[in-house]
Amino acid sequence: MSSDHAHLTRFERLLSFVTRVAPGEGRTAFLFFLHGFLLLASYQQVKALREAFMLTKFSAETRAYAVALMAFVLMLVVPLYGRLRHHLDGARLLRAVTIFFVVTLPLFAVLAHNQVPIAFAFFIWVGIYGVMVVSQMWAFAADSFNVRSGQRLFVVIMLGANVGALAGSKLTQLVVEALSPMGLMIVATCTLGATLFLAVPERAAIPPGSRAEDNDRSHPLPRLLGGIGLVLRDRYLLHMALFVILLNWINTTGEFILADYVKADAEVRVADSGGTLDLGSLITEFYGNFNFWVTLISLFIQLFLVSRVYHLVGVRGALLVQPVIVAIGYGLLVFGPLMGGFIPFFYLVRRIKFAENGVDYSLMNTTRQALFLPVDRDSKYDGKTAIDTFFCRFGDLIQAVGVYIGLNLLFWKSHDFALLNLGLALGWILLAWVMGRDYARKSRENLVTVAPQAVEPIPDLLYSPGMSFLHPVAPTAFYDAEPGDVLVLKARREDGHRLPHWMKFNVRLQAFVGKAPVHVQVDEIRIVVIASNLDGLEARSSFTARRVIR
């Protein structure tokens, strides 16, 4: 694509503060943003309810076992999904999966209203909903955009998801007393149902240069295991699955540590109040507030850091960020007390989970979705669904076994589980490096990485002292042959110095603007315009700014 920033709409210019945007991408970016917003707003509402239902009736240990049970349920769900996937595709598949959860959520609302015990079953259902529907949206997005446009616009989609999660968690916190669980479930159902109207216009709005190529299926799927078998046979997908297993093992162990302290703290507060406080409401309020702050941190990272991290270190380097942060966080938990630390353990755990989950829901989540851009369609749907559901929950299964052994056989405390997470994080760093190398190799197989070209000379600028000027750079001055890429321009003097104070390069107008002083002494200035693509490859074009006396 060329560097035609002058023809961006107002909304596209606004998005350009977050990521690079090409003309015509504003509508599809907004629709995918809205999809992510509605989906995560709905999920955050039921997520807070599932924690309240579960921890009111059961212990944090039982919660860990319920998470593990999801892996066994998904061993049945994933092959069934594979059969559905080969009858439906694209928008129809996305709608079919969404409709299932739109229909079943009100059933739980009715059961809860009639005092039927749903805590355990609802916890598993929400866990499957959270990975299944979200995975379908991202699979659809990966199937819609090419590698370059996906790297750019996935930042916007994840931003919508983060804003939606923020709105959903805050809404839960504010209305938990006013609405019954049934009321919250109905609100969540309507929010999720609204996404059914977005899939078709989302894909139709994608400009031709940003669309994915229509890849044929390249893997015959095993009949029994569906996408699980596909992952086991593909080295790239298998590494991705191992990466997700470690991510979830570490994260869920941290959630167990946090949940144990949350329940203990709530029980103390109920006892101190003489029974006037409700245990379930306290836990729901905590998780609503906790999810709000996690989402706020995620939103900040998504707005101001993700695109910049990609520009500095690419997807490959972004994979290392969360493992390093997690290793540092649990290292503080492990070695802090040994060094005479005075920060309360519960306070420190909350802060570590803020950082871990904040990065996970923004940079890491965006990066994980980008890993599927250079693969074929079967991998984007069947393979991705298997990884995001079964292999994701398989990490929870391993965690549950670890919790059981740690609590009942080794008699571990929270400090010991933190030490386990530190060891896992160090192994995760190594796997993140391998995964980054795999992604770079896979991308090279699907992209012809070439530097942009300066194809049309920029005419010289003739200016008169004391008079304003506007000297545009034509959209056709530079060209990048890679589909979905967007060039960013910057300018300076050819000798490396900054432009004179009376001359500015206006990125929005793609033009040099200014007014030379009446007594300017310089007759000629050589100026170079530099166009860079997503890989940091550059093309340069020079021209002369020449003073003319009139």
Side-chain angles (χ1 to χ4, degrees):
M1 288 187 177
S2 67
S3 53
D4 188 10
H5 295 270
H7 290 84
L8 296 178
T9 65
R10 290 184 179 179
F11 180 66
E12 290 166 351
R13 288 171 186 160
L14 180 63
L15 291 180
S16 67
F17 287 103
V18 179
T19 188
R20 302 185 184 194
V21 182
E25 290 180 339
R27 177 175 170 79
T28 188
F30 171 76
L31 291 173
F32 272 100
F33 176 97
L34 181 61
H35 197 149
F37 176 90
L38 295 172
L39 190 58
L40 268 294
S42 172
Y43 175 61
Q44 285 295 336
Q45 294 165 38
V46 295
K47 183 180 179 181
L49 282 175
R50 80 166 186 179
E51 299 295 342
F53 288 159
M54 193 66 174
L55 293 178
T56 301
K57 301 295 182 181
F58 303 99
S59 66
E61 180 181 0
T62 304
R63 177 191 181 281
Y65 302 148
V67 171
L69 184 59
M70 294 179 199
F72 292 103
V73 177
L74 287 167
M75 286 189 69
L76 302 175
V77 172
V78 171
L80 290 175
Y81 166 83
R83 292 180 178 272
L84 176 66
R85 143 91 170 104
H86 286 271
H87 288 88
L88 301 175
D89 213 343
R92 292 189 302 161
L93 176 63
L94 177 62
R95 285 200 299 263
V97 174
T98 303
I99 287 172
F100 172 80
F101 290 97
V102 168
V103 170
T104 51
L105 181 54
L107 297 180
F108 281 107
V110 173
L111 293 174
H113 182 71
N114 288 285
Q115 306 298 316
V116 177
I118 64 168
F120 202 86
F122 185 66
F123 188 90
I124 294 174
W125 181 91
V126 172
I128 295 175
Y129 160 49
V131 294
M132 197 77 187
V133 178
V134 174
S135 177
Q136 294 313 293
M137 183 196 72
W138 283 109
F140 180 71
D143 191 36
S144 300
F145 295 103
N146 59 42
V147 174
R148 294 304 186 199
S149 62
Q151 287 179 0
R152 295 184 290 101
L153 296 181
F154 276 17
V155 176
V156 178
I157 303 173
M158 188 60 69
L159 179 61
N162 285 333
V163 175
L166 182 67
S169 57
K170 193 61 179 179
L171 176 66
T172 302
Q173 183 185 3
L174 294 175
V175 305
V176 63
E177 297 293 342
L179 292 179
S180 64
M182 181 177 182
L184 272 178
M185 289 182 187
I186 296 302
V187 172
T189 301
C190 295
T191 306
L192 177 62
T195 66
L196 292 170
F197 303 97
L198 295 175
V200 173
E202 280 170 346
R203 178 166 284 183
I206 301 175
S210 305
R211 292 180 183 175
E213 295 182 4
D214 192 10
N215 296 323
D216 294 328
R217 299 185 179 95
S218 58
H219 295 283
L221 292 177
R223 294 181 180 179
L224 294 178
L225 297 179
I228 298 174
L230 174 60
V231 172
L232 296 176
R233 294 167 51 227
D234 186 291
R235 179 176 176 272
Y236 181 73
L237 296 179
L238 181 59
H239 282 172
M240 208 183 302
L242 294 174
F243 184 87
V244 170
I245 288 173
L246 265 182
L247 185 156
N248 245 40
W249 187 357
I250 295 169
N251 186 272
T252 311
T253 300
E255 295 289 345
F256 161 74
I257 297 172
L258 180 65
D260 194 36
Y261 275 95
V262 168
K263 184 171 183 179
D265 179 72
E267 288 173 341
V268 170
R269 292 174 63 186
V270 170
D272 290 344
S273 71
T276 58
L277 295 177
D278 177 67
L279 181 64
S281 294
L282 287 176
I283 294 174
T284 302
E285 182 181 358
F286 172 86
Y287 275 102
N289 183 66
F290 176 80
N291 291 334
F292 171 79
W293 283 106
V294 166
T295 309
L296 193 63
I297 294 169
S298 303
L299 181 60
F300 175 84
I301 295 173
Q302 196 70 31
L303 270 172
F304 301 109
L305 298 180
V306 174
S307 183
R308 290 168 174 81
V309 169
Y310 283 170
H311 180 69
L312 291 174
V313 297
V315 172
R316 185 174 183 176
L319 284 167
L320 288 164
V321 174
Q322 188 182 356
V324 171
I325 290 176
V326 168
I328 293 173
Y330 286 103
L332 289 174
L333 280 180
V334 170
F335 296 109
L338 301 179
M339 295 183 292
F342 56 87
I343 301 177
F345 199 89
F346 187 25
Y347 178 91
L348 194 54
V349 168
R350 279 186 295 177
R351 268 53 187 181
I352 291 171
K353 290 302 294 180
F354 280 151
E356 179 184 355
N357 289 5
V359 176
D360 186 15
Y361 299 161
S362 55
L363 177 64
M364 179 54 73
N365 211 340
T366 308
T367 304
R368 283 175 52 202
Q369 312 311 326
L371 294 176
F372 289 93
L373 287 167
V375 301
D376 59 82
R377 178 169 285 179
D378 280 346
S379 297
K380 288 175 180 177
Y381 283 100
D382 298 275
K384 178 174 174 53
T385 299
I387 291 172
D388 289 352
T389 57
F390 172 74
F391 287 99
C392 182
R393 293 312 176 198
F394 188 74
D396 297 333
L397 173 61
I398 298 175
Q399 174 267 342
V401 173
V403 167
Y404 178 83
I405 294 174
L407 291 177
N408 299 287
L409 300 181
L410 302 177
F411 306 105
W412 279 2
K413 303 299 183 182
S414 295
H415 179 273
D416 301 297
F417 285 105
L419 179 59
L420 171 65
N421 264 10
L422 175 59
L424 293 174
L426 295 177
W428 194 22
I429 292 174
L430 177 61
L431 183 58
W433 180 83
V434 173
M435 193 65 241
R437 185 187 60 185
D438 288 348
Y439 173 80
R441 174 182 54 82
K442 200 75 173 178
S443 295
R444 286 193 298 268
E445 293 174 358
N446 290 270
L447 285 174
V448 181
T449 303
V450 295
Q453 297 175 317
V455 294
E456 184 176 302
I458 302 173
D460 289 344
L461 164 62
L462 303 179
Y463 67 90
S464 298
M467 299 185 64
S468 300
F469 61 84
L470 187 150
H471 187 64
V473 176
T476 53
F478 298 95
Y479 177 72
D480 192 336
E482 295 184 20
D485 211 339
V486 171
L487 300 179
V488 171
L489 304 188
K490 58 183 179 181
R492 63 172 183 243
R493 294 190 187 187
E494 200 170 52
D495 59 9
H497 291 85
R498 298 171 61 182
L499 296 175
H501 65 88
W502 44 267
M503 178 187 295
K504 304 292 182 184
F505 181 67
N506 188 309
V507 176
R508 183 177 66 83
L509 297 176
Q510 298 244 148
F512 291 87
V513 296
K515 181 179 180 180
V518 175
H519 302 294
V520 63
Q521 299 297 319
V522 181
D523 289 329
E524 291 186 354
I525 304 173
R526 288 292 293 173
I527 297 173
V528 60
V529 179
I530 305 169
S532 61
N533 63 12
L534 286 172
D535 291 321
L537 300 177
E538 297 179 348
R540 301 177 178 225
S541 182
S542 300
F543 68 96
T544 300
R546 184 177 294 109
R547 183 180 62 167
V548 177
I549 304 298
R550 296 182 180 177

